Amino acid sequence: MATKKNRKFDFKDIEDLQVYMTAQGKIHPAKRTGLSAREQRRLKRAIKYARFLSLIPYVS
Amino acid sequence: MTEHKHIYQAMFLLDNEEVRQGFNAARDWVKSTLEKHGLEVKVLRLWGERQLAYPIRGRKRATYLLGWLEGSGDAVNQVKREMYLLGPVFRCLFLQEEEIPAEELALGIPEVKDSEIIIPEEIEEPEFDEFVEEEPEAEEEAEEAVAADSADEETPDAELEEVKTDGN
């Protein structure tokens, strides 16, 4: 899934974030996303910001 | 002690009821609150009006404001404290950034006419409890029907007894 190195994630880009989430709303593990540890942390933060702002659900 | 200034990206979730009364009034309240605590507002624009992923304070839709600010961390904390106590803001998020993107900086604080913002009405769906209330009535009706059936079943026996007594 990773297309380039040092990817940054924007909490406003919901469609991009949902690629890395299950239908239930869980975040896919790094093993599945193929992101580096730093990128996976960035993804985690972006998803959590989006959840806080009710852009994506915590559980669906 | 000198206060370090940082650049922040901020997003505010506004109550649609307040925005219906006037988007500019709601935005000005946010802007004045930010400036009151010493934050310099570079950009403050409408990001969108959309359905929430989960209801907040009973609302299913809300309006999002996106801002780019410059100021100290203490000021941000004071703003957060005030916004969660007063005003039309449900949620606010401040993220420290390195710089303001040029395309965002060009937008500034655009003027928006209140008539341009159309906020759809929230459709009130019936609550689950309303359906639950109907169930006991249905049960009562079923019980009555069973009682009536059993009463009907008793009558042939009674008739037989009557016939026997007549025969004797």
Side-chain angles (χ1 to χ4, degrees):
Chain A
M1 271 186 206
T3 52
K4 58 179 181 178
K5 285 183 180 177
N6 272 332
R7 252 199 92 167
K8 289 188 178 177
F9 295 94
D10 188 0
F11 69 92
K12 302 188 290 296
D13 193 351
I14 303 152
E15 285 177 6
D16 185 34
L17 296 179
Q18 281 179 333
V19 172
Y20 298 96
M21 294 170 70
T22 63
Q24 222 180 351
K26 290 181 175 183
I27 306 170
H28 284 308
K31 191 176 177 182
R32 179 160 175 176
T33 58
L35 299 170
S36 68
R38 181 180 289 174
E39 288 168 334
Q40 185 76 11
R41 283 198 299 275
R42 284 178 185 153
L43 171 71
K44 177 193 76 179
R45 276 188 219 117
I47 288 174
K48 289 184 178 187
Y49 292 145
R51 281 176 181 167
F52 172 70
L53 288 170
S54 193
L55 294 170
I56 50 176
Y58 283 93
V59 177
S60 60
Chain B
M1 204 175 112
T2 55
E3 284 186 340
H4 293 285
K5 285 198 170 186
H6 302 285
I7 290 167
Y8 294 94
Q9 179 184 192
M11 189 165 259
F12 307 95
L13 195 53
L14 303 181
D15 185 358
N16 267 357
E17 287 297 313
E18 299 278 345
V19 177
R20 261 192 208 103
Q21 291 167 15
F23 169 75
N24 287 316
R27 190 186 63 178
D28 290 345
W29 186 87
V30 173
K31 187 171 175 276
S32 61
T33 307
L34 293 168
E35 286 173 344
K36 190 169 75 179
H37 293 287
L39 287 164
E40 194 182 338
V41 183
K42 304 276 188 187
V43 181
L44 194 61
R45 67 176 177 90
L46 177 70
W47 186 70
E49 193 279 333
R50 54 179 289 140
Q51 189 168 7
L52 300 174
Y54 52 89
I56 299 176
R57 292 193 212 169
R59 299 271 190 270
K60 290 170 187 168
R61 301 188 69 89
T63 305
Y64 289 84
L65 265 186
L66 181 69
W68 288 85
L69 323 161
E70 193 173 349
S72 66
D74 288 340
V76 169
N77 287 336
Q78 286 168 5
V79 167
K80 275 187 195 172
R81 199 177 302 129
E82 185 168 339
M83 281 188 173
Y84 285 133
L85 289 171
L86 307 164
V89 179
F90 284 154
R91 298 267 164 101
C92 59
L93 178 73
F94 292 85
L95 299 176
Q96 196 177 319
E97 300 282 352
E98 287 177 3
E99 59 179 6
I100 305 173
E103 64 270 16
E104 285 286 342
L105 202 54
L107 292 170
I109 307 173
E111 285 189 18
V112 181
K113 287 179 186 173
D114 289 339
S115 57
E116 287 175 6
I117 297 167
I118 300 160
I119 297 165
E121 291 284 331
E122 285 187 14
I123 301 161
E124 286 186 14
E125 292 169 5
E127 288 179 13
F128 184 69
D129 294 344
E130 288 176 22
F131 295 111
V132 174
E133 283 172 9
E134 288 174 7
E135 283 179 8
E137 288 175 12
E139 280 177 10
E140 282 172 16
E141 282 174 11
E143 281 172 11
E144 283 171 13
V146 169
D149 289 343
S150 58
D152 291 342
E153 284 171 6
E154 283 171 8
T155 47
D157 294 338
E159 280 172 10
L160 280 173
E161 282 176 11
E162 281 173 15
V163 169
K164 282 176 187 175
T165 50
D166 289 342
N168 291 337

